[in-house]
Amino acid sequence: MGETTGVPDFAEGFAAAAASFAEIDDALWNPISTAAVLRSHPQFGERVLDACCGDGASAVPTAELVGTGGLVDAVDFAEGLIELARERVGERMPQLRFHVADVTTWETTGYDVVQCVLGILFFDDLDAGTRHLIGCARPGGRVAITVWAAGAMEPLAEVLTSALPEGVASELGDLRSPAIDVASTPGSLAHWLTGLGLAQVRAEAVQRHLDLTPELAWGLVEGTGLRLALGDLDDEAVAGVRERYLAALEERDVQTVDVTTLIAVGRRPSPPPTAE
């Protein structure tokens, strides 16, 4: 495969929106990250790479589990999110190190666990970036990948597109679903990761729905990849989008949103023993 995802630049989009991202931690990011960490199962003393760490929703509980005998390298391209994560942790977790970097070119390897929660969608080359993450694990190490399930976040993207100013909407086109075409079900996710080199892959769907209030419905625009649709709109234009978006949700009687995720865990194969 190896094609690009066609998603606008994530780092720039969230550089000025880190606070909005953090505002939906309790509703969205923390529960998803907790489910992911339960399945990647970091243990005391292990070394972990937390890729696309955002504001630390998965990195912080992971650091608590590995303890001071372990190490967590938490990497994200969005400096604003890393700054929030550092403020959240302060000096209380010396085992947790935050880095502003492109994880698809991260050079450190040999991790016991490599995990990425809802981050691979933003890789320029989906296959190559995910294969690089797998290569960061030690032979026999665990790799845990979380993605959106098919149908997740619908119909928010469609409704938001209809609420954009006409010129913006036509230039942007339809917002794509956050689900990845090659990995939108547990079976397809496991199959895809196996093809990229993981072994013993097990994948499952973690089903969840959110009850929408106007505040949360708009928070899901400002604090997720949906906000990339707002581009360079000024405050007045954004206010208009918000009004039309919320009115459309009410008119369509959209009361809940599906935030189901898929989580796969596999192992990087150990090389075959060499003949003596």
Side-chain angles (χ1 to χ4, degrees):
M1 172 178 297
E3 74 249 21
T4 61
T5 62
V7 177
D9 183 67
F10 173 75
E12 288 186 8
F14 275 111
S20 298
F21 188 99
E23 284 176 3
I24 57 172
D25 273 348
D26 289 342
L28 187 68
W29 305 124
N30 288 346
I32 289 174
S33 295
T34 297
V37 172
L38 284 172
R39 288 158 178 81
S40 64
H41 194 46
Q43 301 176 49
F44 184 82
E46 287 191 318
R47 297 175 66 246
V48 180
L49 173 62
D50 190 284
C52 307
C53 67
D55 66 349
S58 55
V60 171
T62 296
E64 292 172 343
L65 290 169
V66 304
T68 55
L71 171 70
V72 177
D73 281 322
V75 182
D76 202 288
F77 217 151
E79 186 172 0
L81 292 174
I82 291 291
E83 290 175 356
L84 273 179
R86 286 173 174 157
E87 291 173 6
R88 170 192 286 191
V89 174
E91 302 296 325
R92 65 187 177 91
M93 288 186 179
Q95 71 271 31
L96 177 53
R97 306 187 305 196
F98 289 104
H99 311 266
V100 178
D102 179 358
V103 77
T104 64
T105 59
W106 187 254
E107 295 183 354
T108 307
T109 60
Y111 292 97
D112 299 296
V113 180
V114 174
Q115 60 187 21
C116 185
V117 181
L118 301 179
I120 65 171
L121 168 67
F122 300 101
F123 290 171
D124 286 337
D125 187 314
L126 187 60
D127 283 10
T130 305
R131 192 178 288 112
H132 181 79
L133 291 187
I134 294 171
C136 289
R138 64 169 174 79
R142 306 186 300 286
V143 178
I145 303 294
T146 300
V147 299
W148 293 110
M153 301 296 285
E154 294 180 357
L156 300 191
E158 175 194 345
V159 174
L160 179 60
T161 299
S162 70
L164 294 171
E166 185 174 345
V168 175
S170 61
E171 180 178 323
L172 180 69
D174 290 336
L175 288 176
R176 61 170 293 170
S177 165
I180 297 167
D181 293 339
V182 296
S184 58
T185 66
S188 62
L189 176 58
H191 178 76
W192 175 63
L193 291 173
T194 299
L196 294 181
L198 270 189
Q200 304 172 30
V201 182
R202 301 181 67 177
E204 64 179 297
V206 180
Q207 296 185 347
R208 189 161 176 262
H209 288 74
L210 292 178
D211 293 328
L212 290 179
T213 63
E215 291 75 19
L216 179 56
W218 186 245
L220 291 171
V221 171
E222 292 195 308
T224 71
L226 290 174
R227 79 162 290 113
L228 297 172
L230 301 178
D232 297 325
L233 295 178
D234 59 28
D235 290 346
E236 183 178 356
V238 169
V241 172
R242 182 181 188 277
E243 182 178 354
R244 292 188 295 274
Y245 166 77
L246 294 179
L249 290 177
E250 184 176 4
E251 181 179 350
R252 295 175 57 165
D253 196 29
V254 179
Q255 299 183 23
T256 64
V257 62
D258 186 345
V259 290
T260 297
T261 54
L262 310 176
I263 305 175
V265 181
R267 291 188 178 272
R268 181 184 176 188
S270 299
T274 56
E276 297 184 0

